[in-house]
Amino acid sequence: MKCRKCGGTAVLELRRHNVAFCAPDFLEFFRRQVNEAVRRHRMFTRDESLLVAVSGGKDSLALWDVLLEEGYSATGLYLDLGIFDYSRESRAKCEAFAAGRGAPLRIVSVEQEVGAAIPEVRAATRRPTCSACGLSKRYLMNKAALEHGFPVVATGHNLDDEAATLFGSVLHWQTEPLARQSPALPSTHPKLVRRVKPLYRLSELETAAYAFLRGIDYIVEECPFAKGATSLLHKDILNRLEDASPGAKHNFLYGFLEKGRAAFEQASPVELNECVRCGQVTTGTLCAFCKLADQVKRSR
Amino acid sequence: MKVILRHPKREMELAGRRRVKELLNELDILPGTVLVIRGSELLTIDAVVGEEDVIELRPVISGGGA
Ligand code: SF4
Ligand SMILES: [Zn+2]
Ligand SMILES: [Zn+2]
């Protein structure tokens, strides 16, 4: 296969765009898509300091890399979930990346913040592990950003992640998640920092190819709790659809963002309060994170 | 050729030359769900791989995650 731009040997075919690129032209395409995402959703400006949530996986390290390459001031935030070898290894990948790029990395331990590491949280609650873990991650990202004065948190969610989340929400017509799903969530409260997903225009194949071609040493192994997650089932279904009809995922997600989302947003206005215990934002009185921490305490 | 697969990490030996597309087909892997790696290069589905090659098929799908 030949590169669409220069005619050299292609390293990656992007069927949904009906093109193939050589390595340098693919990297250029990747950066352009990130810049387009940032511009289109006014994610952040050149003079803002960004906090990038990194897991050691391909997406978040690719994101951190591309932001540093583009000249942004980007600090990494690694949340140590305490998930056995997976956490040890992924933390080491983040530390090595930070050291190699001379980029600042902050580390927050879930065990210290929640009162137990994720495997123990898993035993203490009836929630699915990924739901408890995800809620803790969102809370701790926001908290870290607030404490250290970052106006925005960037995460490595890609096109496939977003399409799978959308698919899951649509299957159950979960109107609140549908209202909130966006590449950029503005700060709607002084204690809620902006959240952005600069990779939402890039597929999982593309973020993996970028990480590989940039020589990023990322963790290929998966979190042991990911196995059997419904999001993986949804990704599998969408990948079959994509194989039969390239562009399906892209159209599904972009169509929702352009035409569908606004209707849900209008339908579910939310009232935000401050948690009576920790002061972070919640729709109730005690926030979900504090409730989770209580459950963990009670189970001991 | 030697084929390296992940989740869990394992290896297999295959005889003969073929296109990457055929290799993925045989292994029942959808193109677009793996990086096809030979040394420091990525291969597209029309590339031909032969006896001497070591090919890693690295899944790109990461999961769980909320
Ligand atoms: S797969 Fe689930 S449990 Fe594992 S890190 Fe992701 S959200 Fe947490
Ligand atoms: Zn080229
Ligand atoms: Zn709270």
Side-chain angles (χ1 to χ4, degrees):
Chain A
M1 229 173 268
K2 297 272 175 260
C3 171
R4 149 83 69 92
K5 284 198 91 177
C6 71
T9 304
V11 296
L12 202 70
E13 182 188 18
L14 310 182
R15 285 178 71 212
R16 72 197 159 91
H17 293 298
N18 200 16
V19 289
F21 289 123
C22 68
D25 285 320
F26 168 70
L27 295 176
E28 177 56 32
F29 162 86
F30 192 93
R31 291 187 200 105
R32 252 205 334 269
Q33 290 297 323
V34 172
N35 286 325
E36 174 63 14
V38 172
R39 190 191 62 76
R40 203 178 264 252
H41 295 275
R42 297 195 185 86
M43 290 184 175
F44 37 74
T45 61
R46 290 262 155 210
D47 32 66
E48 283 182 308
S49 295
L50 319 177
L51 188 61
V52 184
V54 290
S55 69
K58 64 187 194 314
D59 303 300
S60 57
L61 290 183
L63 173 62
W64 198 7
D65 182 83
V66 73
L67 293 174
L68 291 169
E69 280 293 296
E70 291 293 300
Y72 288 101
S73 147
T75 297
L77 171 66
Y78 177 78
L79 299 176
D80 190 337
L81 306 169
I83 305 178
F84 322 118
D85 285 350
Y86 168 73
S87 285
R88 270 189 288 279
E89 215 186 301
S90 58
R91 175 175 175 159
K93 302 279 186 201
C94 293
E95 288 173 333
F97 180 95
R101 303 290 199 282
L105 174 67
R106 295 190 166 273
I107 295 179
V108 169
S109 152
V110 166
E111 182 165 11
Q112 271 172 24
E113 298 282 337
V114 189
I118 293 298
E120 234 187 291
V121 173
R122 170 187 161 86
T125 160
R126 280 188 309 271
R127 280 184 105 107
T129 314
C130 292
S131 145
C133 180
L135 124 75
S136 308
K137 287 196 277 197
R138 282 190 299 275
Y139 177 95
L140 294 172
M141 280 174 206
N142 188 65
K143 185 170 175 226
L146 280 178
E147 280 175 4
H148 302 288
F150 292 93
V152 54
V153 174
T155 57
H157 294 89
N158 57 44
L159 175 57
D160 294 69
D161 296 328
E162 293 299 286
T165 300
L166 176 60
F167 189 67
S169 302
V170 166
L171 276 183
H172 302 282
W173 292 111
Q174 289 165 321
T175 51
E176 276 176 31
L178 285 167
R180 279 197 316 268
Q181 183 167 358
S182 169
L185 285 174
S187 166
T188 48
H189 185 282
K191 286 193 167 172
L192 211 52
V193 301
R194 200 181 326 141
R195 278 203 317 228
V196 297
K197 300 166 181 170
L199 301 184
Y200 85 95
R201 306 175 67 81
L202 292 150
S203 74
E204 215 148 37
L205 179 70
E206 291 151 21
T207 61
Y210 178 90
F212 179 81
L213 294 168
R214 290 280 301 154
I216 296 171
D217 182 20
Y218 64 89
I219 185 166
V220 178
E221 279 67 44
E222 283 289 302
C223 168
F225 300 131
K227 214 162 177 247
T230 31
S231 64
L232 285 179
L233 172 64
H234 295 161
K235 280 187 174 180
D236 185 48
I237 292 166
L238 291 171
N239 281 332
R240 284 164 201 275
L241 194 60
E242 182 76 20
D243 188 57
S245 164
K249 282 188 279 203
H250 172 135
N251 293 337
F252 178 52
L253 180 65
Y254 289 19
F256 166 73
L257 294 176
E258 281 155 27
K259 296 176 235 164
R261 183 174 175 265
F264 293 100
E265 206 176 12
Q266 280 161 15
S268 43
V270 280
E271 197 200 312
L272 296 177
N273 312 313
E274 288 184 21
C275 170
V276 290
R277 185 177 313 156
C278 72
Q280 284 227 49
V281 175
T282 174
T283 49
T285 43
L286 189 66
C287 79
F289 182 85
C290 287
K291 282 184 194 155
L292 185 68
D294 279 349
Q295 274 179 357
V296 169
K297 218 177 280 161
R298 271 201 303 273
S299 75
R300 293 201 144 174
Chain B
M1 82 189 77
K2 188 198 273 183
V3 180
I4 302 168
L5 299 153
R6 298 282 194 140
H7 306 338
K9 193 161 181 175
R10 58 208 191 274
E11 291 180 8
M12 59 195 290
E13 278 294 335
L14 291 175
R17 284 162 64 82
R18 61 205 11 99
R19 285 186 192 279
V20 168
K21 192 185 175 113
E22 286 142 22
L23 173 65
L24 295 179
N25 238 323
E26 275 167 58
L27 299 174
D28 206 15
I29 294 173
L30 284 180
T33 64
V34 289
L35 290 181
V36 182
I37 301 171
R38 181 173 62 193
S40 62
E41 336 165 76
L42 293 181
L43 303 178
T44 51
I45 53 168
D46 60 332
V48 176
V49 291
E51 288 291 343
E52 302 304 309
D53 287 330
V54 177
I55 305 295
E56 180 185 343
L57 301 177
R58 187 187 293 178
V60 300
I61 299 163
S62 33

